[in-house]
């Protein structure tokens, strides 16, 4: 049974105030009160979402360790499912990027966590190159450690990614040459294949590193953390609200509509889809979109079924301009329809070949419109942001 948690008493009061007594205007919260409440609710939401992402990665790590201890086809399938499960909460956290926060500030680990597209031959063998990759080069890299993978990440090229979700994805699935499903790497890659032991050492190290870095980002948002205090208490309210708007506007237009959909649709190449080894791209798209909704509405449904609900950007915008808020909500509604069709017609690597039905093109248009509406809503509060990723 779902439970509803409201972490902030002020948020609860403001929510109740939304059902205002028209005969008593004094019960209506001021815009300043709504803005402060929205910042605190956002911090609660971010911490909960990163906590779920960490817990999902921990569950995946446990499955991977069990598989490596006694490799089998069933063990590999269990590790793959745990990866898929963990991507659900993580995909929603991407709405917390693009403003230099803990995930992608100067020392943020985002490029180590979710970098893509990935040149898989940088890590392991690929079709036609059986000795490719760090795993198959023990002379140069005699010992595989977390620090080695950090040092090698993006060393010579942006696609030379040695860490993160998609490195793990490649090591679990391998290359995808199947029109009707994902890659089908055999579990014997971890038993009898060349460099099987090193492959297992790589998989273990890259998974532990992901856990370390997700934990760092999560902890930056816990109650007594310095960044959270700045965001909710000591920092400039308008600047922090600007960060919230900026994160969802940039994810909607520059990243999701642009890098993740338009590029793949133009090239018709699965190398340009986000999770190309596991055929999980449709879930990535849906969860990124969900993350944008979470921030705007001030809600997040946790993986254990509990729901965080408090003051969101929608509450503030609605008080200043009901028309602009409705325009954002309308854009969410129309885009949701096309996102649902992408999910229903997966795998994405086949959908981009023709975009039969025009679902991908409609989603791109919808996300761009949504971003424009979010930017317009922010402007109504005196906040200027843009939806580009640069």
């Amino acid at each position: 049974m779902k439970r509803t948690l409201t972490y902030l008493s002020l948020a609860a009061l403001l929510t109740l105030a939304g059902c205002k007594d028209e005969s008593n205007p004094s019960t209506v919260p001021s815009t300043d009160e709504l803005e402060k409440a929205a910042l605190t609710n956002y911090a609660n939401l971010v911490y909960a979402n990163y906590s779920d992402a960490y817990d999902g990665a921990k569950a995946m790590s446990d499955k991977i360790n069990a598989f490596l201890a006694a490799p089998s086809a069933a063990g590999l399938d269990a590790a793959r499912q745990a990866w898929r499960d963990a991507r659900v909460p993580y995909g929603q956290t991407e709405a917390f990027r693009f403003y230099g926060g803990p995930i992608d500030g100067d020392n943020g680990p985002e490029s180590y966590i979710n970098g893509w597209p990935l040149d898989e031959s940088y890590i392991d063998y690929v079709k036609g190159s059986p000795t490719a990759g760090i795993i198959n080069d023990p002379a140069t890299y005699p010992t595989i450690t977390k620090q080695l993978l950090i040092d090698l990440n993006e060393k010579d090229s942006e696609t030379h990614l040695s860490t993160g979700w998609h490195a793990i994805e490649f090591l679990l699935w391998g290359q995808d040459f199947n029109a009707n499903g994902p890659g089908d790497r055999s579990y014997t890659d971890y038993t009898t294949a060349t460099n099987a032991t090193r492959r297992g050492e790589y998989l273990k190290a890259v998974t532990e590193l992901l856990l370390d870095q997700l934990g760092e980002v999560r902890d930056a948002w816990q109650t007594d953390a310095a960044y959270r205090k700045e965001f909710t208490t000591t920092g400039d309210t308008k600047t922090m609200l600007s960060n919230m708007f900026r994160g969802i506007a940039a994810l909607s237009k520059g990243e999701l509509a642009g890098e993740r959909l338009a590029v793949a649709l133009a090239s018709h190449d699965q190398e340009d889809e986000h999770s190309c080894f596991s055929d999980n791209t449709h879930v990535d798209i849906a969860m990124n979109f969900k993350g944008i909704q979470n921030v705007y509405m001030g809600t997040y449904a946790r993986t254990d079924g509990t729901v965080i609900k408090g003051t969101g950007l929608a509450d503030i915008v609605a008080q200043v301009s009901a028309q602009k808020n409705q325009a954002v909500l309308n854009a969410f509604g129309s885009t949701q329809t096309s996102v649902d069709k992408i999910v229903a017609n997966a795998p994405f690597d086949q959908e981009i070949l023709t975009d039969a039905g025009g679902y991908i093109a409609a989603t791109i248009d919808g996300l761009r419109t949504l971003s424009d509406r979010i930017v317009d809503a922010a402007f109504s509060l005196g906040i200027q942001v843009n939806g580009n990723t640069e």
Side-chain angles (χ1 to χ4, degrees), residues 116-140:
W116 76 285
L118 176 151
D119 176 0
E120 56 267 39
S121 69
Y122 187 57
I123 295 175
D124 198 4
Y125 76 87
V126 294
K127 187 177 183 179
S129 298
T131 61
I134 298 165
I135 288 171
N136 296 301
D137 190 1
T140 306

Side-chain angles (χ1 to χ4, degrees), residues 109-192:
E110 200 282 332
S111 65
Y112 297 99
I113 290 177
N114 198 40
W116 76 285
L118 176 151
D119 176 0
E120 56 267 39
S121 69
Y122 187 57
I123 295 175
D124 198 4
Y125 76 87
V126 294
K127 187 177 183 179
S129 298
T131 61
I134 298 165
I135 288 171
N136 296 301
D137 190 1
T140 306
Y141 312 112
T143 304
I144 296 174
T145 64
K146 290 189 285 186
Q147 188 58 53
L148 174 71
L149 300 185
I150 291 173
D151 294 343
L152 294 179
N153 197 55
E154 295 188 78
K155 182 178 180 182
D156 302 313
S157 165
E158 289 186 353
T159 62
H160 281 184
L161 299 167
S162 55
T163 65
W165 287 107
H166 300 295
I168 297 169
E169 179 194 7
F170 173 55
L171 290 170
L172 293 178
W173 275 275
Q175 289 179 291
D176 178 14
F177 299 108
N178 184 0
N180 299 312
D184 60 352
R185 182 189 289 275
S186 170
Y187 79 93
T188 58
D189 274 9
Y190 294 89
T191 56
T192 58

Side-chain angles (χ1 to χ4, degrees), residues 342-373:
I342 289 177
V343 172
N345 289 278
F348 186 73
D349 59 3
Q350 300 305 300
E351 293 181 282
I352 59 174
L353 297 179
T354 61
D355 192 23
Y359 312 138
I360 300 174
T363 302
I364 293 169
D365 290 344
L367 288 167
R368 288 171 173 164
T369 298
L370 173 61
S371 179
D372 290 344
R373 297 294 176 268

Side-chain angles (χ1 to χ4, degrees), residues 9 124 237 247 283 285 289 323 349 373:
S9 58
D124 198 4
T237 299
V283 177
I285 294 166
F289 182 65
Q323 182 181 12
D349 59 3
R373 297 294 176 268

Side-chain angles (χ1 to χ4, degrees), residues 29-80:
S30 69
T31 301
D32 287 345
E33 289 173 323
L34 283 176
E35 290 177 346
K36 287 289 187 183
L39 294 182
T40 301
N41 184 57
Y42 178 81
N44 290 335
L45 186 155
V46 174
Y47 180 69
N49 199 164
Y50 276 128
S51 295
D52 286 347
Y54 178 88
D55 292 346
K58 180 62 171 62
M60 176 186 71
S61 176
D62 291 344
K63 293 295 184 183
I64 285 174
N65 287 337
F67 165 66
L68 293 176
S72 67
L76 182 56
D77 284 344
R80 288 168 172 167

Side-chain angles (χ1 to χ4, degrees), residues 22 53 66 125-126 186 231-232 234 241 247 265 293-294 336 350 358:
E22 299 291 350
Y125 76 87
V126 294
S186 170
F231 196 95
T232 60
T234 62
L241 286 171
L265 183 59
Q293 290 178 305
N294 292 343
Q336 182 72 67
Q350 300 305 300

Side-chain angles (χ1 to χ4, degrees), residues 13 16 35 60 64 104 115 130 227 243 260 284 298 318 345 355:
L13 292 171
L16 291 173
E35 290 177 346
M60 176 186 71
I64 285 174
D104 58 3
Y227 183 85
N243 290 341
R260 301 187 180 184
D284 296 335
N345 289 278
D355 192 23

